[in-house]
Amino acid sequence: SLTKAFNGKLTVSQLASSQTLEFSGFSSKAAAINKGSINIDFGSWSSDGTTFTSDTAQSTQSLSISDSNNTLVGLADALTAISGVNATVTDKGDGTFSLIVNTETGAKNAIRLRVTEDSSDPGLATFDTSSNNQSKQVVAATDASLTLNGVSITRSTNTITDLVDGYEFKLNSTTSSAASILASVNSNSAFTKVKEFVDIFNSVNSSIDEFINQLDESDRQRRKTSLEEMKVGKYQMIIDKHARPFLFDTKTGAYYSKSSIEGSSVDVNH
């Protein structure tokens, strides 16, 4: 939909945050850990960090810890390979190392780690958070909480694109009082930008056609493939340099491809 002028009052009471877990006390990044398997459930923890509610919209993921990856950094790599999870081994500066695990922002993006130990090599349960999440959780996963013109709203991220049509809100901090928002649309500026692209596109398109028309028929046929590639390449160059900011399809969430404009002339009427 078209962007329209907008004004309102916005209050941010809480930013969205990711869950952070810390498993501490290891001697090195390559410290050996025990073998077994870990199931990763996605969902939300209660405010006291003791009760977990699974998010049925997200599937449980699992990983195996074997001879090939039974080190602290091996576990970090295995966790990072799972969508929605990022893990790293951090030097604490006191002679010890910690495994730090982060999730995506949003209350329902927290994780629960359920460990099944290898009976021949017990000890992997160190990383189980089913019953001791509160002792491993450094930061709880939360949603952003805000009020727009008196309406209470929550979102899982601090970058919000579906609050008001045509506008993107980036929440950087909470507010102590309502912030006034006044946004206007400069249609003349938008037209100028599009017109600049149209002029460049049509100029290059015309130059390429003029060059092709100067060739005799045998040359055109012999060089047909390379000429077509040249045209496509020029279109792509123009789009990459000049058109990306305003060739974005908000319905599909993607940029228009060069194939959607190839072979056509573009006209703009103000």
Side-chain angles (χ1 to χ4, degrees):
S1 60
L2 295 177
T3 301
K4 299 179 180 179
F6 166 77
N7 64 79
K9 297 284 188 179
L10 178 68
T11 302
V12 180
S13 57
Q14 178 176 270
L15 293 177
S17 62
S18 60
Q19 182 190 31
T20 300
L21 301 172
E22 180 183 9
F23 301 90
S24 60
F26 295 90
S27 61
S28 70
K29 286 188 174 184
I33 62 173
N34 305 96
K35 291 178 285 187
S37 62
I38 303 176
N39 286 332
I40 298 94
D41 304 314
F42 293 88
S44 57
W45 286 96
S46 58
S47 58
D48 63 1
T50 61
T51 303
F52 185 79
T53 303
S54 293
D55 178 11
T56 57
Q58 302 188 71
S59 300
T60 294
Q61 302 295 313
S62 61
L63 56 87
S64 178
I65 303 301
S66 62
D67 289 330
S68 64
N69 63 351
N70 63 331
T71 62
L72 197 61
V73 70
L75 175 57
D77 290 343
L79 287 168
T80 298
I82 296 173
S83 178
V85 181
N86 181 269
T88 185
V89 179
T90 299
D91 184 344
K92 296 278 286 185
D94 60 1
T96 67
F97 292 76
S98 289
L99 173 68
I100 308 297
V101 183
N102 292 291
T103 67
E104 294 183 352
T105 60
K108 289 185 177 181
N109 289 323
I111 58 174
R112 175 180 61 184
L113 304 181
R114 293 183 290 117
V115 172
T116 300
E117 295 186 330
D118 184 328
S119 59
S120 66
D121 186 24
L124 190 63
T126 298
F127 301 100
D128 193 298
T129 63
S130 298
S131 60
N132 66 345
N133 175 73
Q134 68 273 28
S135 67
K136 303 299 182 183
Q137 181 173 272
V138 179
V139 179
T142 61
D143 288 333
S145 297
L146 55 148
T147 301
L148 180 63
N149 291 337
V151 179
S152 296
I153 299 165
T154 61
R155 289 291 187 274
S156 62
T157 176
N158 293 315
T159 299
I160 305 172
T161 58
D162 61 353
L163 198 58
V164 178
D165 286 345
Y167 292 91
E168 179 182 87
F169 292 79
K170 292 186 177 180
L171 309 181
N172 297 315
S173 63
T174 58
T175 59
S176 57
S177 60
S180 296
I181 301 173
L182 178 61
S184 60
V185 179
N186 188 335
S187 58
N188 289 329
S189 177
F191 170 78
T192 299
K193 290 294 184 182
V194 174
K195 185 65 166 61
E196 287 176 1
F197 163 72
V198 169
D199 290 343
I200 295 171
F201 180 90
N202 287 334
S203 175
V204 173
N205 192 42
S206 176
S207 296
I208 294 174
D209 287 340
E210 182 179 349
F211 170 74
I212 293 174
N213 290 334
Q214 290 177 351
L215 301 175
D216 59 36
E217 186 61 28
S218 61
D219 273 346
R220 291 182 195 174
Q221 293 301 318
R222 179 171 57 85
R223 303 172 64 176
K224 181 178 181 180
T225 300
S226 61
L227 290 171
E228 289 176 350
E229 289 176 348
M230 179 179 69
K231 291 185 73 172
V232 171
K234 287 291 185 182
Y235 293 152
Q236 184 65 62
M237 181 189 70
I238 296 169
I239 291 172
D240 286 341
K241 185 174 182 180
H242 299 284
R244 287 292 178 184
F246 44 82
L247 285 185
F248 187 77
D249 188 340
T250 57
K251 292 183 178 180
T252 65
Y255 288 100
Y256 293 113
S257 65
K258 60 181 179 292
S259 60
S260 67
I261 62 171
E262 183 184 354
S264 63
S265 181
V266 183
D267 294 311
V268 170
N269 294 310
H270 192 28

